[in-house]
Amino acid sequence: MLLRSAGLILPSFILLCAAGLLLPITAQLSEEYQQILTLTPYPLAIIVALLGYGFNRSRILFAAVNLCGAYWLIQNGLQTSLNQPDAFVLFSCISILLPFHLGCIALYKERGLFTPVGIIRLSVILISYGVLYLIWSNGSLGLYLANLPMMMLEMLLHEYYLSQAAALAFGLGLVPIMLSFVFRKTYTDAALLASLLSALIMLSWFHQPMISALFISASMIALAISVVQNSYQMAFIDELTCIPARRALLDKFSTLGKKYTLAMCDIDHFKKFNDTYGHDVGDQVLKMVAAKLNQVSGGGKAYRYGGEEFTLVFPGKSEAEALPYIEQLRETIANYPMHIRNQDRPDDNEQGQKMRKNAPETEIVSVTISIGFCEKTPEIPDPMAVMKKSDEALYESKRNGRNCSTAVHYKPKPKTQKRGHRKDYA
């Protein structure tokens, strides 16, 4: 769980670190290059907005509009001392609006852009920055200085930029972003978290030259990368089992060398299992088998081919070399005691464990798989042909009584796993 969360945030974290390392360098650039860097967030915002629209990621689009709106106001109204009343009020408002909108965006569900809800959400962001810009452009924003609460004025008395109100806004914005990141675990939420941290760094060290252009650009790139990562996740990762899907397998075929073995795996009597216990339990079986297959050693890689079928790829291995790892997996799955949840069993794992201790009659079943595998040979020269032969070997395993492995060329003595008192659907 922690590794997955770290993997989600790692690309955005690297971008923020890179922006921090580049900050001292940008101050030494010529005026021409600084001007180019200053304009960079705008085309990046357009690209991110188009990606969000094209891939139906409204939260990405809203985040890009939010960041671009804040950056537009910074470039047009905050290129002067914050001691000026107009600049002070504008900075104070941006430091609250920016995290507020990011926090709201984290709570949104993906419901499209050109829907009543989507239009309202986009309008709220545009109107908030539009009204602020109009008041500033009329030169009347500084008149509101006397009406600001004390928690927005204290930065006048201290040597830091974020007021207590702004710090509170960032804290409140962080809560929904972290909750969304923890429970949804998507690259979009990781990019939103990076955008909030980027905005916090930018506004906290606002006196640094080019800091807004650099960190807003980093946020835009993080948002763009998240769209690519989400698209890859949908296309190449199976949603239920979280292992690579058939498209990833076909993509892997193009990288295999001259020596490899493919294994087709099928859960025995899966339909009967579904009919007996229901599809929810069937999904749990698929997840369990996928998790075990994903732990394959010997350089193997597991893929979900479809339904209850999985594929193992062993690059650089012959059938004889892959057999020990295949048998180890088969025996591991067959020996795994799977507890069937009672309908009144709580979702909490600790309470469920207590119930199992107090209720020995809880049903335990064994899940088994049948496997057929084949290596590449001059007579079977391409992955699709190898996979077809593996599939034929799989059906031979079924005919041999299931819960066994069958090779196309290498013929070891079949082994059948003995099971004890557990109910066996193999």
Side-chain angles (χ1 to χ4, degrees):
M1 189 70 70
L2 291 176
L3 288 176
R4 173 167 168 76
S5 299
L8 291 172
I9 194 65
L10 183 60
S12 299
F13 178 76
I14 292 175
L15 278 171
L16 294 186
C17 291
L21 293 174
L22 290 174
L23 186 59
I25 301 175
T26 57
Q28 303 174 8
L29 294 175
S30 65
E31 184 177 348
E32 180 182 356
Y33 285 110
Q34 287 186 353
Q35 184 65 26
I36 294 174
L37 182 59
T38 300
L39 297 174
T40 299
Y42 298 122
L44 287 177
I46 295 173
I47 292 172
V48 173
L50 290 175
L51 287 172
Y53 171 74
F55 287 90
N56 199 29
R57 290 288 179 267
S58 58
R59 293 197 298 163
I60 292 292
L61 189 148
F62 296 150
V65 171
N66 179 40
L67 291 169
C68 189
Y71 183 71
W72 171 265
L73 289 174
I74 289 172
Q75 290 301 308
N76 286 274
L78 294 179
Q79 302 306 307
T80 183
S81 173
L82 294 185
N83 292 327
Q84 301 293 327
D86 277 350
F88 179 86
V89 177
L90 182 60
F91 179 86
S92 299
C93 292
I94 291 174
S95 63
I96 293 175
L97 278 178
L98 187 52
F100 170 78
H101 285 312
L102 286 173
C104 291
I105 292 169
L107 295 174
Y108 294 159
K109 294 182 179 180
E110 297 289 356
R111 297 192 176 183
L113 178 61
F114 295 110
T115 62
V117 175
I119 293 174
I120 291 172
R121 291 170 176 174
L122 182 60
S123 299
V124 169
I125 299 174
L126 292 173
I127 290 173
S128 63
Y129 287 115
V131 170
L132 191 58
Y133 174 76
L134 289 175
I135 298 175
W136 169 83
S137 61
N138 291 332
S140 56
L141 194 60
L143 300 177
Y144 294 92
L145 181 62
N147 297 324
L148 294 180
M150 190 60 199
M151 60 190 313
M152 293 179 66
L153 294 172
E154 62 174 355
M155 60 178 282
L156 288 171
L157 308 175
H158 301 88
E159 294 183 356
Y160 48 79
Y161 286 87
L162 284 186
S163 64
Q164 184 179 353
L168 180 62
F170 272 96
L172 292 176
L174 180 63
V175 172
I177 291 176
M178 285 301 300
L179 289 174
S180 183
F181 178 73
V182 169
F183 289 104
R184 291 178 179 172
K185 295 183 178 65
T186 68
Y187 289 105
T188 298
D189 296 298
L192 290 175
L193 177 59
S195 297
L196 184 76
L197 295 176
S198 180
L200 178 62
I201 294 171
M202 175 186 71
L203 296 174
S204 298
W205 285 274
F206 196 69
H207 63 284
Q208 294 288 339
M210 308 301 296
I211 190 170
S212 59
L214 202 57
F215 276 88
I216 292 294
S217 296
S219 298
M220 293 294 183
I221 295 173
L223 291 170
I225 291 175
S226 73
V227 176
V228 177
Q229 290 172 317
N230 280 324
S231 301
Y232 176 87
Q233 186 86 6
M234 292 177 63
F236 290 91
I237 305 299
D238 180 64
E239 184 177 5
L240 177 64
T241 61
C242 297
I243 68 172
R246 184 189 299 189
R247 182 174 293 184
L249 173 64
L250 298 178
D251 189 62
K252 178 67 175 178
F253 284 170
S254 62
T255 66
L256 293 174
K258 296 181 179 180
K259 182 180 179 182
Y260 58 86
T261 293
L262 300 181
M264 296 297 294
C265 313
D266 186 88
I267 301 175
D268 296 327
H269 293 303
F270 184 71
K271 184 179 184 302
K272 185 177 179 180
F273 199 99
N274 261 345
D275 293 341
T276 303
Y277 296 107
H279 290 284
D280 288 342
V281 175
D283 287 346
Q284 294 301 317
V285 171
L286 288 170
K287 291 179 181 179
M288 183 275 289
V289 171
K292 299 300 181 184
L293 293 176
N294 203 37
Q295 296 172 4
V296 61
S297 52
K301 181 72 175 178
Y303 300 83
R304 186 182 181 189
Y305 187 74
E308 67 270 26
E309 281 193 306
F310 298 85
T311 303
L312 296 172
V313 179
F314 292 92
K317 292 282 192 300
S318 65
E319 290 176 0
E321 292 169 333
L323 177 61
Y325 308 108
I326 291 173
E327 279 295 290
Q328 182 183 31
L329 275 176
R330 183 189 62 76
E331 293 176 2
T332 298
I333 294 171
N335 292 325
Y336 183 80
M338 184 167 181
H339 297 262
I340 301 299
R341 285 175 175 263
N342 296 324
Q343 291 184 353
D344 58 346
R345 186 183 186 277
D347 291 332
D348 183 75
N349 287 331
E350 292 184 1
Q351 294 183 20
Q353 291 174 1
K354 292 179 181 179
M355 287 187 64
R356 286 200 296 268
K357 292 179 181 178
N358 298 329
E361 71 278 2
T362 299
E363 188 171 10
I364 303 175
V365 300
S366 175
V367 178
T368 63
I369 62 172
S370 298
I371 305 173
F373 57 104
C374 178
E375 65 182 66
K376 177 185 179 296
T377 65
E379 296 77 22
I380 313 174
D382 61 85
M384 297 305 296
V386 175
M387 189 165 62
K388 183 179 179 180
K389 287 293 184 181
S390 299
D391 207 41
E392 292 174 1
L394 168 63
Y395 282 98
E396 186 177 341
S397 295
K398 296 281 189 181
R399 290 191 295 269
N400 289 335
R402 295 181 169 84
N403 188 27
C404 62
S405 305
T406 302
V408 172
H409 303 97
Y410 183 67
K411 299 294 182 183
K413 184 179 179 181
K415 296 181 180 179
T416 302
Q417 179 67 29
K418 294 182 179 180
R419 293 166 295 278
H421 66 281
R422 293 171 292 165
K423 189 172 181 180
D424 181 12
Y425 274 81

